[in-house]
Amino acid sequence: MAVRVDLNISLDGYATTTDQTPEYPFGQDWGRLVGPYVATRTFRERVLHETGGEGTTGVDDKYAEAYFDRIGAEIMGAGMFGLHNFPDDPDWQGWWGDEPPFRVPVYVLTHTPRPPLEMANGTRFEFITASPEEALEKALDVAGDRDIRVGGGPTVVRSFLEAGLVDQLHVGITPILLGRGINLWEGLRGLEDAYDVIAETAESGVVHLTFRG
Amino acid sequence: MAVRVDLNISLDGYATTTDQTPEYPFGQDWGRLVGPYVATRTFRERVLHETGGEGTTGVDDKYAEAYFDRIGAEIMGAGMFGLHNFPDDPDWQGWWGDEPPFRVPVYVLTHTPRPPLEMANGTRFEFITASPEEALEKALDVAGDRDIRVGGGPTVVRSFLEAGLVDQLHVGITPILLGRGINLWEGLRGLEDAYDVIAETAESGVVHLTFRG
């Protein structure tokens, strides 16, 4: 069992984008940040439910496959689920449609819990107010010998990293400079001391860094 | 002729370190930041004047060799030369001893010029008060068809990048998080638009990114 994090970040460390408009609800930066990941065969099958086998199959796809491999439970922040965007919509079910890609229990950290959401494919969203340690305990109860992913956003990931709870951190660094957003690295001076760091470059230009504890 | 920059930076973008003490005049972080570069055969020959042929000869050394290749003039900030550390010492000759590794004219940008310094091996330090454009013009006059390097520090490099004067930016990213210092990427949102970006990983764990205009 390992606690794992996988994030796409910019070269200057930003894991979220802040240029959202009504026309581009995720912002245009978001598309550039996650473009190589979204282009992988794994993402297109697993998240977009495409069945034609299209998408890239190189280094980026290897990491995309690993993203979904052996996960038994997921923890994410309210922002990643979308509660900050739609705080007053009791019917909001996340960004991922009727068949979210998780297929495991997902613990959404929030100060304003709501009833759990049972989705079609094994995904169950449960809304809890909990510290990183408490959330991890819940996830461990259901994950068996499988891994637990802390999905994001970066503020939640940082709280798990600061608490020393993450066994493996993988970042796909897209070589763009965003200059604004939430910076993953803030407050994490010396993080590398607890890990071995392995780098691999993808055909897309993304640099994959893996911190292994 | 190209204007080139080569810097070592941390994963969180810091190109200088700020933990200097009397015991460690460059700070302990500095050694970790530039460690793989300092270990190369090229650095040991060219900067440390070792003659035994020792040092690494892999990917880091390839970039170290390129660092000194085809340079006809250098531009650096007062801080890189050491004028901020020794402002009142008229005999200060830089960090590099009697035979600095540059072997070309070096223009040191400063608001308090001093007489030029002629060194043993073709290095001549000239102290000028100039904008990036003016400094570049001086360097072009002496560089012939060779390249010009903007050596650092990061504040000077940023001013050249912001002015659109840099043809090639190479950063060796050491996978450590410093969390403090001067951040190379600050204010450079969208820099990648003017460049192709190529990534290569070294045996040391350093990721070499090259922005080619």
Side-chain angles (χ1 to χ4, degrees), chain B residues 33 38 41 50 113 143 174 194 201:
Chain B
L33 186 62
V38 169
R41 184 166 68 181
E50 294 182 2
T174 304
T201 59

PDB file of all heavy atoms in Angstrom, chain B residues 33 38 41 50 113 143 174 194 201:
ATOM      1  N   LEU B  33      23.018  23.002  -5.365  1.00  0.00           N
ATOM      2  CA  LEU B  33      22.423  23.473  -6.619  1.00  0.00           C
ATOM      3  C   LEU B  33      23.341  23.217  -7.809  1.00  0.00           C
ATOM      4  O   LEU B  33      22.902  22.793  -8.874  1.00  0.00           O
ATOM      5  CB  LEU B  33      22.108  24.972  -6.492  1.00  0.00           C
ATOM      6  CG  LEU B  33      21.360  25.619  -7.656  1.00  0.00           C
ATOM      7  CD1 LEU B  33      19.984  24.990  -7.838  1.00  0.00           C
ATOM      8  CD2 LEU B  33      21.223  27.121  -7.432  1.00  0.00           C
ATOM      9  N   VAL B  38      29.565  21.245 -11.157  1.00  0.00           N
ATOM     10  CA  VAL B  38      30.925  21.346 -10.618  1.00  0.00           C
ATOM     11  C   VAL B  38      31.663  20.003 -10.726  1.00  0.00           C
ATOM     12  O   VAL B  38      32.893  19.961 -10.806  1.00  0.00           O
ATOM     13  CB  VAL B  38      30.856  21.834  -9.147  1.00  0.00           C
ATOM     14  CG1 VAL B  38      32.187  21.698  -8.439  1.00  0.00           C
ATOM     15  CG2 VAL B  38      30.374  23.290  -9.109  1.00  0.00           C
ATOM     16  N   ARG B  41      33.912  17.052 -15.888  1.00  0.00           N
ATOM     17  CA  ARG B  41      35.309  17.171 -16.289  1.00  0.00           C
ATOM     18  C   ARG B  41      35.604  18.577 -16.812  1.00  0.00           C
ATOM     19  O   ARG B  41      36.651  19.158 -16.514  1.00  0.00           O
ATOM     20  CB  ARG B  41      35.644  16.129 -17.362  1.00  0.00           C
ATOM     21  CG  ARG B  41      37.116  16.173 -17.727  1.00  0.00           C
ATOM     22  CD  ARG B  41      37.538  14.955 -18.503  1.00  0.00           C
ATOM     23  NE  ARG B  41      36.930  14.931 -19.825  1.00  0.00           N
ATOM     24  CZ  ARG B  41      37.127  13.947 -20.712  1.00  0.00           C
ATOM     25  NH1 ARG B  41      37.875  12.914 -20.412  1.00  0.00           N
ATOM     26  NH2 ARG B  41      36.543  14.004 -21.888  1.00  0.00           N
ATOM     27  N   GLU B  50      42.193  21.850 -12.878  1.00  0.00           N
ATOM     28  CA  GLU B  50      42.729  20.512 -12.651  1.00  0.00           C
ATOM     29  C   GLU B  50      43.222  19.951 -13.983  1.00  0.00           C
ATOM     30  O   GLU B  50      42.650  20.214 -15.039  1.00  0.00           O
ATOM     31  CB  GLU B  50      41.653  19.606 -12.063  1.00  0.00           C
ATOM     32  CG  GLU B  50      41.232  20.038 -10.658  1.00  0.00           C
ATOM     33  CD  GLU B  50      40.194  19.116 -10.053  1.00  0.00           C
ATOM     34  OE1 GLU B  50      39.828  18.117 -10.701  1.00  0.00           O
ATOM     35  OE2 GLU B  50      39.734  19.409  -8.946  1.00  0.00           O
ATOM     36  N   PRO B 113      30.846  52.221 -11.499  1.00  0.00           N
ATOM     37  CA  PRO B 113      31.956  51.710 -12.313  1.00  0.00           C
ATOM     38  C   PRO B 113      33.308  51.851 -11.623  1.00  0.00           C
ATOM     39  O   PRO B 113      33.512  52.719 -10.774  1.00  0.00           O
ATOM     40  CB  PRO B 113      31.901  52.580 -13.578  1.00  0.00           C
ATOM     41  CG  PRO B 113      30.484  53.033 -13.666  1.00  0.00           C
ATOM     42  CD  PRO B 113      30.051  53.222 -12.239  1.00  0.00           C
ATOM     43  N   ALA B 143      32.595  40.672 -30.065  1.00  0.00           N
ATOM     44  CA  ALA B 143      32.398  39.215 -30.159  1.00  0.00           C
ATOM     45  C   ALA B 143      32.594  38.671 -31.568  1.00  0.00           C
ATOM     46  O   ALA B 143      32.729  37.458 -31.749  1.00  0.00           O
ATOM     47  CB  ALA B 143      31.002  38.846 -29.654  1.00  0.00           C
ATOM     48  N   THR B 174      18.165  21.253 -11.059  1.00  0.00           N
ATOM     49  CA  THR B 174      18.530  20.284 -10.028  1.00  0.00           C
ATOM     50  C   THR B 174      17.279  19.949  -9.217  1.00  0.00           C
ATOM     51  O   THR B 174      16.572  20.867  -8.792  1.00  0.00           O
ATOM     52  CB  THR B 174      19.615  20.880  -9.105  1.00  0.00           C
ATOM     53  OG1 THR B 174      20.721  21.288  -9.922  1.00  0.00           O
ATOM     54  CG2 THR B 174      20.091  19.865  -8.092  1.00  0.00           C
ATOM     55  N   ALA B 194       7.947  32.191 -27.525  1.00  0.00           N
ATOM     56  CA  ALA B 194       8.967  32.624 -28.485  1.00  0.00           C
ATOM     57  C   ALA B 194      10.031  31.554 -28.743  1.00  0.00           C
ATOM     58  O   ALA B 194      10.991  31.805 -29.464  1.00  0.00           O
ATOM     59  CB  ALA B 194       9.637  33.895 -27.981  1.00  0.00           C
ATOM     60  N   THR B 201      17.442  14.519 -19.814  1.00  0.00           N
ATOM     61  CA  THR B 201      17.789  14.211 -18.425  1.00  0.00           C
ATOM     62  C   THR B 201      19.226  13.701 -18.353  1.00  0.00           C
ATOM     63  O   THR B 201      19.708  13.030 -19.263  1.00  0.00           O
ATOM     64  CB  THR B 201      16.854  13.132 -17.841  1.00  0.00           C
ATOM     65  OG1 THR B 201      16.960  11.950 -18.635  1.00  0.00           O
ATOM     66  CG2 THR B 201      15.415  13.603 -17.853  1.00  0.00           C
TER      67      THR B 201
END
